[in-house]
Structures are given as C-alpha cells and as structure tokens.
Amino acid sequence: MNQVVEKALRGMALLKVSNIRHWTDRTFSFSCERPQGFRFRSGEFVMIGLMVEGKPLVRAYSIASPSWDDALEFYSIKVQDGPLTSKLQHLGAGDEIVMRPKSVGTLVHDALVPGKRLFLFSTGTGIAPFASLIREPESYERFDQVILTHTCREVAELAYGYDLVDRIRGDEMLDEMVGEKLMHIATTTREESPHMGRMTDWIRDGRLARETGAPLDPATDRIMICGSMAMLQEHKAICEALGFVEGSNSEPGQFVIEKAFVD
Ligand code: A2P
C-alpha cells in the first residue's frame, strides 16, 4: 500500500464485501470480513464507509451480526443524494469498505439492569442493532422473553426482519437457543398489512399489551429503542411517563435509545 493511502487510512481497516442484498429501492444489506482481533458487544455500532478522493468518508452503522459471528453484517438505507449511501449502494462483491475497528453504543446488555421481558422497538433500518441482539445468547440468558417490533411504511420494507427470523429458525443451534422466547411483531403504517400502526400507538391504546400478554412495566420490562429522532423522542416520553429510567454504559437503567443511521 502506498504511503499516502496508508496515512489517509490511519487505523482504519480495509474489508472485502460479500453477500450484498437489495431489499427495496430504499434499503440493502451486506457482509464484510471481520478484522482479526476486532471485538464488539452485540448492539454496538462502528464507523464504516468508503475511500472518496483519497480520504475515508465514514458514518455510524450498527453491526447487524452478533458478536460471535465471523463476518460483520450491515443493513443500510439508500439516500440518492446522501454523501455516503449514494455511493455505498453500488457496492459489488469483492469491493472494499473502510472501518474504524472500534465499536461503541448504548443498545447493549451492560446498559440495562436485569428484567424478565426485553422489548426491542425499531423502525426502518433501526432494526439493525436488534438483528445482532436477537442472535446473541446473552439476550436469552438474561430474559424470559425477547419482543422485537419493526415498523415500516410499506410491507416490502419488513422483508429484512422476516428473513432474519427465518434465518434463526433455519439454523439448528440458533433455533434451539431462541426457542419460544422470541416474538416478532412487524407493522406497516402506509400500506395495508395484517398488523398496522405505529408502535407508540400500540403502546398507548393497549394493542401491545394484548399481543404480549401484559402492559409495559418498569418492574419487569427492559426496553431498547432504535429509529428516527422523532420516533426516539416519542418512545422515550412514553417510557418516562410509565416510570422507566434511562440507562447508560456507566449507569445501567430500564431503557436505552440510539438514533438509526439516516443519510
Ligand atoms: P408513519 O408512516 O406514520 O410516519 P421513516 O421512514 O419516516 O423513518 O418512518 C419509518 C416508520 O416509523 C414509519 O412507519 C413511520 O410511521 C414510523 N414513525 C415515524 N415517526 C414515528 C414516531 N414519532 N413514533 C413512532 N413511529 C414513528
């Protein structure tokens, strides 16, 4: 590698991409090699991107694969005029992305105190950190039930989540680990489907309680939230009104939030 490129990369890893799948005209997923010695906690994010005009252009991306996996998986939005995703969406097998091999984030088990039910509320590509967490053994060791909700505008956008659950069910070891503990609730807001509406409305009007057997309760439930800023704010307000206390890595609590990658 020449010295100019080496300097521009400064601690970044160059990783070969594989398994690119375009789910809709708004989303796609891909895998890449995992750098040797790179460790992360399921639910965390890293900075990834591309070399553009000799410089790394990176954004925060949740790692969608679990911490034990050999490959790293990412689920991304496509924004036609987005500085990174307008280019990233054209990745082909064998192309390279750059990654800063240092992960961070609050959607991790360390930021939650123990509980019985774990709720993972997501919209759009906000499902990515939960794709990691629902394949993480610790989720099932720490909780009796893991409830993943995924809300999108249209039916086609739910495909990544359905495929994820199918992949778990199709893998003998994962299926055994998950057993009956995982519940997947997928809803749409702008196209007809069996389950419709925002999860914030489901919480307020009792539909979530009916579907899961009991209303949200800070005594037993822990919550992780990932989506747009508006979605986070609304879920956070609901949590706080119900008496849930926000957690962090240094002070675990009863709910945690993180913004999904957007441009
Ligand atoms: P809606 O269609 O009613 O706006 P987006 O693509 O805008 O990020 O939206 C993804 C999903 O998140 C959509 O289904 C959208 O519903 C939903 N959503 C947007 N804002 C909120 C919010 N404040 N609370 C809950 N869900 C939301």
Side-chain angles (χ1 to χ4, degrees), residues 26 123-124 151-153 157 187-190 198-200 228 230-232 234-235:
R26 296 194 342 137
T123 55
T151 300
C152 294
R153 296 178 185 195
E157 295 173 275
T187 74
T188 55
T189 49
R190 301 194 192 186
R198 293 179 171 194
M199 223 18 76
T200 42
S228 65
M231 177 268 195
L232 294 183
E234 208 172 320
H235 268 285

Side-chain angles (χ1 to χ4, degrees), residues 115-119 143 145 147 212-216 220-222:
K116 292 198 185 320
R117 301 192 299 178
L118 175 63
F119 283 85
F143 293 94
Q145 233 194 328
I147 297 131
T212 62
L216 291 175
T220 52
D221 300 332
R222 303 296 166 251

Side-chain angles (χ1 to χ4, degrees), residues 32-89:
C32 72
E33 310 163 290
R34 182 169 176 163
Q36 266 209 330
F38 168 63
R39 291 169 61 87
F40 69 98
R41 296 176 297 173
S42 291
E44 286 188 315
F45 66 85
V46 280
M47 303 303 288
I48 63 166
L50 296 169
M51 292 300 284
V52 177
E53 288 159 18
K55 281 190 266 173
L57 173 67
V58 294
R59 292 287 185 272
Y61 268 87
S62 291
I63 303 172
S65 45
S67 62
W68 49 261
D69 207 340
D70 292 336
L72 298 176
E73 180 185 331
F74 298 98
Y75 182 49
S76 177
I77 197 159
K78 303 178 200 176
V79 180
Q80 292 323 326
D81 55 358
L84 179 61
T85 65
S86 61
K87 299 186 176 69
L88 204 61
Q89 63 183 285

Side-chain angles (χ1 to χ4, degrees), residues 3 6-7 96 105 160 170 185 206 222 241 246 254 258 262:
Q3 278 183 335
E6 212 163 288
K7 191 162 171 234
E96 284 176 329
Y160 179 80
I185 302 174
R222 303 296 166 251
E246 188 169 355
Q254 294 160 328
E258 205 144 76
V262 282

